[in-house]
Amino acid sequence: MSKKSKRLGGGAGVAIKSNAPIARLSSIPSPLSLPQQFLDMLDSAVGQELASIIVTAIQESPPVISIRINPAKWPNLVAAGHPLVNNSESLSGEKNTNIVAWCPAGLYLTERPNFTLDPAFHAGAYYVQEPSSMILEILRPIVSEASNVLDLCAAPGGKSTHLATMLRGGAAAGGETAAAFGRPASGRPAARLTANEIIRSRAATLRENISKWGDPRVTVTSLDPSAFANRGEIFDFILVDAPCSGEGMFRKDPEAISEWSPRAVDECVTRQRKIVMDIWATLEPGGYLAYSTCTMNLHENEENVDWFAQNMGAQIIPLTSYLKSHDQGIIITSQGSLRLHPGLVKGEGLFLALLRKPEDQFVDSEVQNIKSKFQFKTSKSNPTSTKADSSKTSIPDHYEAMSLEYNNQYPSVELSRKLAIKFLSRETLSLPDSPMGYLRVTYCGLGLGFVKNIGSRANNLLPTSLRILRPGI
C-alpha cells in the first residue's frame, strides 16, 4: 500500500488509499432501501466516511462484469480471435488498466455477452467471477508450496478453479499464459486439491464447473467439515469461504437485502465458528487457513478472526506484504486482514484473513491414529475413465473431453460456433466427413463432449442435465 494511505475513523481501524468523494449517509438517494441496522454495522466496521462511499456505490452504480481466464485454455481463444478476447478491456490500451489489479488472470469486460451461447464458456476457457473474489490470487506464494489443499465450502467453484491454477505441478499450474505453466519441482509430486460442498445439489454444480476447468488433480467431495478429521485427512492449506449474511452482494443481488437481519448475522457467526473449529484439527502444524466471507460487518469478519486466535490458538498473519502497490482501495484492518468494498474497489464486498497453525500445536492424536489406518480416497470429478472397461467399445465419460490431460483415445472434430451450440443444445449433428464411432467434439480446439458418429448422423452424448435450452440462433 502507498505511504500516502490515510487512517479514517471506525471500529475496525483501517488504512486505505481512495480518491472517491465523501458523501453524508443522510444525503444519499435510496433506489435500494438498506436496513438501518446494516448501515449502523457498516459505520462501525469502516467509519462514516467510508460507509457513505460504499452505500452510494451500492445504491447508484451497477456491478462490473469480469471473468478469470483458464491459463491452460485461454490461449486457444486468443489464437482463434474469439470475440471475447476483443471484449476484454485488458487487451486494449497500453497500460492494461482493465486487468483486475490484484489478479493478472482477471479481466474486466466492456459489455456482458450471452455466456450461455458461448461454447468456450462451456469448454472451461474462463470462469465468470466477481473481481473482489479474485483477491485469493495474493496467496499464490503460499498455495504453490502446499501439497494437500482443501476448499471446504467450495460451490459453485470459482475459488476452487482459482486454487487449481496455483497448485504445484500439472498442466494448469503457474503463470498467466500457457508458456508459464509449471511442472513439479525435482523430487516433489504434484499437489492435489479437494473441493468440498456439503449441500448435495450445490455439489453437483461444483463438480460440473471443476470438470469444465479440466484439472485432473481436483477431487470433489460432499462431506460435513467434521468428516475430514474422522477420516484422518491432513491438509497444509485450507480455504474456508464461509457461508455468510451476504452484505457484500447487495448490489449484485438486491433480493439478499430482504433476507438480511441482525439475527441472520448472529446465526452466521455461530455457523462460521463451528465450521472453522471442525476443520482446524485437519490442518497440519505450520499450515495455513484462509478465512473469507462476502459480507461487511465486524461480527462475521474481524471479531471471528479474533475469536479463532483466542479460542483455537490460531496465529493471525498480516496480509500487507502480499499486496502490490497498485492494489488501491483495499482496506487493511488493524489485524492485517483485508476488506474490499464497492465504491472503494472495482468489485463487490469481500473480507479475507489468513491464519496459521503454530508449529507446536500438534495434529490431534486421534486424527493421526485414523490417518495411519485409513487413507481417505474419493473419486475424481473428471476421471480419465469411470468405466471398468476402458476399451473403445465403452461409452466415453463426458468430462474426459474437457480434461487437460485428455489422452486422445477418440479422434477430435472441430465444430463451428453454430454446430457447437447445436451440440450444447443436445441436438443430433451431421458429420459426414468425420470418422465413424465415438468422437470428441471441440470448439477453438477445446473439448465440449462426445458424439457417436454412425454415418447418417452423429448421436449426441451430452448429459441431459447440461443441455442449454432453446438458444435461439
Side-chain angles (χ1 to χ4, degrees), residues 23-283:
R24 294 183 179 276
L25 286 176
S26 59
S27 66
I28 297 172
S30 301
L32 287 178
S33 178
L34 299 172
Q36 184 59 48
Q37 289 166 305
F38 160 73
L39 297 175
D40 293 341
M41 287 186 185
L42 183 60
D43 182 84
S44 297
V46 300
Q48 184 176 6
E49 293 180 354
L50 293 183
S52 67
I53 300 170
I54 296 165
V55 171
T56 299
I58 294 172
Q59 294 182 320
E60 298 182 2
S61 62
V64 297
I65 304 163
S66 59
I67 62 173
R68 180 174 42 76
I69 67 171
N70 185 335
K73 296 185 176 184
W74 182 260
N76 288 48
L77 271 60
V78 175
H82 187 278
L84 195 58
V85 175
N86 295 326
N87 184 354
S88 59
E89 296 182 357
S90 66
L91 301 179
S92 63
E94 297 179 358
K95 295 183 179 180
N96 286 335
T97 56
N98 299 298
I99 292 177
V100 175
W102 43 88
C103 180
L107 308 177
Y108 293 108
L109 303 184
T110 56
E111 59 185 7
R112 184 180 184 88
N114 189 331
F115 293 114
T116 301
L117 298 186
D118 181 11
F121 166 73
H122 298 277
Y126 58 90
Y127 191 96
V128 182
Q129 187 176 33
E130 187 279 315
S132 293
S133 296
M134 302 179 198
I135 192 63
L136 192 63
E137 174 69 23
I138 70 169
L139 299 181
R140 182 178 289 272
I142 296 174
V143 178
S144 63
E145 291 298 316
S147 296
N148 197 14
V149 177
L150 171 66
D151 185 357
L152 183 62
C153 311
K159 292 182 176 65
S160 289
T161 57
H162 198 169
L163 286 169
T165 69
M166 304 182 202
L167 293 179
R168 179 182 69 249
E176 304 163 36
T177 65
F181 294 159
R183 290 291 174 183
S186 177
R188 302 183 70 189
R192 74 174 184 124
L193 166 64
T194 300
N196 182 72
E197 174 53 52
I198 188 173
I199 301 174
R200 295 282 176 155
S201 59
R202 287 170 57 82
T205 301
L206 171 65
R207 180 171 286 104
E208 177 186 343
N209 287 326
I210 292 295
S211 298
K212 287 194 297 188
W213 202 252
D215 194 324
R217 299 168 300 167
V218 185
T219 298
V220 175
T221 59
S222 184
L223 298 171
D224 184 271
S226 60
F228 288 97
N230 294 337
R231 291 171 177 252
E233 260 302 19
I234 303 296
F235 302 95
D236 48 2
F237 181 89
I238 298 173
L239 170 64
V240 178
D241 186 30
C244 66
S245 59
E247 298 163 356
M249 294 293 108
F250 280 179
R251 181 168 66 167
K252 285 191 67 178
D253 181 16
E255 290 186 7
I257 299 173
S258 63
E259 298 172 358
W260 185 93
S261 69
R263 179 179 178 180
V265 171
D266 292 340
E267 290 173 349
C268 286
V269 168
T270 301
R271 184 182 304 116
Q272 291 153 355
R273 292 179 180 180
K274 183 179 188 305
I275 289 171
V276 175
M277 280 194 301
D278 284 346
I279 205 62
W280 187 253
T282 70
L283 184 64

Side-chain angles (χ1 to χ4, degrees), residues 1 60 79 107 109 179 224 227 238 325 330 332 376 378 417 419 431 453 463:
M1 294 291 291
E60 298 182 2
L107 308 177
L109 303 184
D224 184 271
I238 298 173
S325 60
I330 297 177
I332 304 174
F376 181 33
T378 56
R417 178 180 179 274
L419 279 180
L431 301 171
N453 191 17

